Amino acid sequence: MKSGSNLEKILEKGLFAVTGELGPPKGNDIEVVKKKAEFLKGYVDAINITDNQTAIVRMSSIAAGALLVQMGLEPVIQMVTRDRNRIAMQSDIFGATALGVKNILCLTGDHQSFGNQVDSKNVHDMDSIQLIDCVRIMRDGGTILGGEEQIEGQIKMFIGAAANPFGDPFEFRVIRLAKKINAGVDFIQTQCIYDMKRFKEWMRMAGDMGLIEKVHILAGVTPLKSAGMARYMNKNVSGITIPDEFINRMAKAQKPAEEGIKICVEQIEELKEMDGIHGVHIMAIEWEHKMGQITEMAGLLPRPAVS
Amino acid sequence: MIKAEQKPVDEILDFLKPHRKILLAGCNACVAVCHAGGEKEVGILSSALKMARKKAGQKIEILEDCSTRQCEPEFVQELKEKAEEVEAVLSIACGVGVQTVARMFSDIPVYPGLNTTFMGETDELGVWIERCQACGNCVLHVTGGVCPVARCAKQLLNGPCGGSQDGECEIGNDVPCAWQQIYDRLKTIGQLHRMEEIIPVKKWGRESRDKGPRTISREDLKL
Ligand code: SF4
Ligand code: SF4
């Protein structure tokens, strides 16, 4: 076992994994974390904690992750290369593992111009691929970056990264996946999938390159809440395209929220059957209370207990 | 070359407030090319300042000059006589020129009349774009002649990030995605395999801006 995390155990056993997502509060209100976490409890194998997502200042992902550990839940802490240099990131990895965190998701992070600190300076001392490599060196080599300093203790991290099959240039997207695998990634969570055709094409290309045997791919999904949200995301969120078919279904629905969940469940059913998909990452952002319903309807319950 | 823009006249007037006689010194190199600090701009700015001060009932006398290159002490030395006559120097060279003047005429204040912005190229008449951040270890041979440090909004070395869409960077405003450009170039020149290489972490601390002023010392050229 690389990390001994619940997520790693489930994936290594060949079981279909389910992960969820929790956005920490814009402050230090522990109750927000607890409430969201309670909604996810029992429905997922691990919970991603976002790291100042869209460059909005929030409680640190490691602190919120540690609160989850205290609650007996398993966090995947996200770490973006935007806000910290290699000294701070390695130090935070020491700290996170000391607090019981066993999964990390290495990300570049959205540009600071999207957030509430637009005049900040982005760091990107490392990029996400270099961060993956760094965590792998810390875990497998027992040293920090540069290879000289031995780490006091052991870094047991299950290393994840994101993949966006919907970003451009499309043909490069699998090459980027290959680079992440070469850097040492154990699992991948994809950007939310709506354009199934393009996703399948990406998976086929990954298969042709022999990549799907080398990594656990968790397919990302996000339930749509309304036609307005679908249109907004389609237009404004970079790297997301929503086919008209879904937008129309949402627009026509009597109860759009229910329709959004139905679409999401259909997608999960389809993804479950796909070769090389080892799990789903359900990002029900500010909709954590719907996670029970979604996982139930998609036949993902009960979550397996592994040891 | 180095690109710069003139500071707002009000800001310049504000720091010139205490002075009644100054030297306005331009530079005929980079900043003349981007129409910010050459001979022509010395003349225009000088008139603007004099007019504004006259209107405010606080006349200012301005000596004018324009060096061949204000970043070379030997050319700045030529300003000496004029500098001795004035209370302060307003330099409209790049930030380097301003500092050479400050070092050479250490007993009078020197003010910057420009904001030095970047090293870039001419895109079209009147438009300049940043192209290099002098990172100290050029990777252009790996990236098809397109600089990821200066042109990617996140300085990614293994990009493009997930936000690249239809050739545009995720920050929008029609900013092209540098990594799409790198991809296109490498494809055209038949070097797409370069994209597969992992570019390791950069030595920002040893090669770039972070260790104090970088110095090049060439024994073969010293006297
Ligand atoms: S890689 Fe460095 S030296 Fe080369 S163009 Fe970019 S910033 Fe300049
Ligand atoms: S979209 Fe392209 S240019 Fe913009 S940050 Fe991402 S890789 Fe860099």
Side-chain angles (χ1 to χ4, degrees):
Chain A
M1 280 277 132
K2 289 168 170 169
S3 68
S5 77
N6 191 44
L7 183 61
E8 179 181 7
K9 286 177 190 159
I10 286 187
L11 288 169
E12 287 305 313
K13 282 211 159 89
L15 300 169
F16 195 80
V18 181
T19 51
E21 191 149 303
L22 186 156
K26 297 180 197 172
N28 62 358
D29 189 347
I30 296 175
E31 292 312 313
V32 177
V33 179
K34 285 191 173 158
K35 198 171 151 202
K36 286 183 177 176
E38 284 298 339
F39 284 134
L40 297 172
K41 201 172 186 170
Y43 306 132
V44 294
D45 306 315
I47 301 169
N48 280 38
I49 314 286
T50 54
D51 179 9
N52 297 297
Q53 198 172 15
T54 62
I56 303 271
V57 182
R58 290 175 183 273
M59 182 190 288
S60 101
S61 63
I62 295 171
L67 291 171
L68 254 62
V69 172
Q70 284 172 16
M71 293 174 73
L73 294 168
E74 179 165 297
V76 177
I77 54 143
Q78 299 193 350
M79 186 176 269
V80 299
T81 60
R82 180 192 59 221
D83 307 325
R84 278 165 285 187
N85 70 7
R86 63 192 81 172
I87 301 172
M89 283 195 275
Q90 293 181 94
S91 157
D92 280 349
I93 289 164
F94 289 168
T97 45
L99 290 166
V101 172
K102 293 177 182 160
N103 309 295
I104 186 170
L105 196 78
C106 305
L107 303 169
T108 303
D110 301 309
H111 194 267
Q112 69 274 22
S113 57
F114 292 108
N116 55 8
Q117 298 293 314
V118 294
D119 286 326
S120 64
K121 178 177 184 299
N122 62 14
V123 181
H124 299 298
D125 183 26
M126 299 199 253
D127 62 28
S128 59
I129 288 175
Q130 294 161 344
L131 175 58
I132 295 166
D133 190 43
C134 173
V135 188
R136 184 188 54 78
I137 290 168
M138 293 172 83
R139 183 189 66 196
D140 301 343
T143 70
I144 59 164
L145 206 65
E148 277 146 38
E149 202 87 29
Q150 282 292 320
I151 291 169
E152 296 173 299
Q154 274 185 323
I155 304 299
K156 295 198 166 178
M157 275 287 199
F158 198 45
I159 308 170
N164 185 1
F166 312 104
D168 286 323
F170 181 52
E171 313 81 69
F172 171 71
R173 290 295 144 187
V174 274
I175 300 176
R176 188 156 163 91
L177 175 66
K179 280 178 94 162
K180 290 185 176 180
I181 293 170
N182 289 339
V185 84
D186 300 308
F187 71 99
I188 291 285
Q189 290 170 328
T190 76
Q191 173 68 285
C192 348
I193 302 158
Y194 296 103
D195 186 346
M196 202 53 96
K197 216 175 117 210
R198 178 152 165 171
F199 182 68
K200 282 183 178 159
E201 178 60 12
W202 180 78
M203 282 297 288
R204 186 194 60 72
M205 288 161 84
D208 288 349
M209 282 177 75
L211 300 177
I212 57 177
E213 292 86 42
K214 294 184 184 160
V215 71
H216 298 290
I217 298 176
L218 276 61
V221 291
T222 289
L224 295 166
K225 293 179 190 170
S226 66
M229 169 192 174
R231 283 195 202 99
Y232 178 85
M233 282 174 73
N234 193 33
K235 204 169 150 231
N236 298 307
V237 183
S238 58
I240 289 188
T241 37
I242 303 180
D244 289 341
E245 178 205 335
F246 288 151
I247 298 180
N248 291 340
R249 267 180 73 179
M250 292 300 290
K252 283 195 197 117
Q254 297 267 313
K255 290 183 181 159
E258 291 303 310
E259 189 67 18
I261 289 174
K262 221 174 121 202
I263 292 172
C264 184
V265 170
E266 287 168 19
Q267 284 181 310
I268 296 173
E269 302 277 5
E270 193 173 351
L271 290 162
K272 273 205 287 194
E273 301 307 316
M274 222 182 271
D275 244 3
I277 298 295
H278 296 179
V280 277
H281 177 53
I282 308 172
M283 292 165 271
I285 303 143
E286 300 306 324
W287 234 21
E288 290 82 2
H289 60 284
K290 299 280 187 189
M291 279 297 282
Q293 188 188 348
I294 297 167
T295 47
E296 169 82 63
M297 283 171 71
L300 299 169
L301 300 181
R303 297 310 309 148
V306 287
S307 56
Chain B
M1 267 190 179
I2 291 177
K3 303 296 169 199
E5 283 177 298
Q6 196 191 294
K7 280 183 177 288
V9 174
D10 285 344
E11 186 185 344
I12 299 174
L13 283 168
D14 194 52
F15 53 58
L16 290 183
K17 251 184 204 150
H19 306 297
R20 269 167 303 182
K21 187 173 181 182
I22 64 156
L23 165 63
L24 174 50
C27 172
N28 262 327
C30 308
V31 291
V33 177
C34 63
H35 303 270
E39 214 162 326
K40 187 181 71 185
E41 291 74 32
V42 168
I44 298 170
L45 180 61
S46 175
S47 318
L49 293 172
K50 280 188 278 197
M51 253 160 61
R53 285 283 291 258
K54 197 172 161 193
K55 226 172 125 190
Q58 235 211 334
K59 275 197 188 165
I60 186 165
E61 191 183 336
I62 302 183
L63 308 186
E64 298 170 15
D65 210 313
C66 198
S67 307
T68 309
R69 283 199 300 278
Q70 223 183 81
C71 55
E72 302 274 356
E74 108 188 49
F75 292 119
V76 174
Q77 193 59 36
E78 294 168 4
L79 302 172
K80 193 166 188 271
E81 254 173 53
K82 285 180 182 161
E84 276 166 359
E85 276 182 56
V86 297
E87 296 163 28
V89 180
L90 173 64
S91 160
I92 55 170
C94 73
V96 181
V98 179
Q99 294 179 64
T100 308
V101 172
R103 182 163 70 89
M104 301 288 291
F105 310 126
S106 54
D107 52 353
I108 52 170
V110 177
Y111 301 104
L114 302 184
N115 289 322
T116 304
T117 38
F118 53 77
M119 280 186 277
E121 65 167 318
T122 307
D123 189 43
E124 55 181 277
L125 206 65
V127 181
W128 299 277
I129 310 184
E130 181 166 26
R131 289 297 182 240
C132 172
Q133 288 188 354
C135 73
N137 191 352
C138 199
V139 297
L140 287 174
H141 55 298
V142 195
T143 57
V146 176
C147 172
V149 179
R151 297 168 70 167
C152 165
K154 300 176 188 169
Q155 305 196 320
L156 302 180
L157 294 172
N158 291 286
C161 74
S164 176
Q165 201 92 72
D166 303 321
E168 219 185 282
C169 172
E170 71 173 24
I171 61 171
N173 301 325
D174 295 324
V175 175
C177 168
W179 275 97
Q180 175 77 51
Q181 293 175 315
I182 292 169
Y183 176 85
D184 293 341
R185 266 284 293 170
L186 290 174
K187 196 169 179 179
T188 310
I189 60 174
Q191 291 189 2
L192 216 46
H193 61 275
R194 288 275 192 199
M195 294 286 279
E196 294 166 28
E197 291 168 29
I198 295 179
I199 302 182
V201 279
K202 241 173 136 36
K203 295 173 179 168
W204 301 110
R206 268 181 283 176
E207 291 167 350
S208 302
R209 63 194 153 79
D210 289 349
K211 59 160 194 189
R214 288 173 280 178
T215 308
I216 298 173
S217 177
R218 288 266 307 266
E219 293 306 322
D220 56 329
L221 297 176
K222 287 184 183 167
L223 288 176

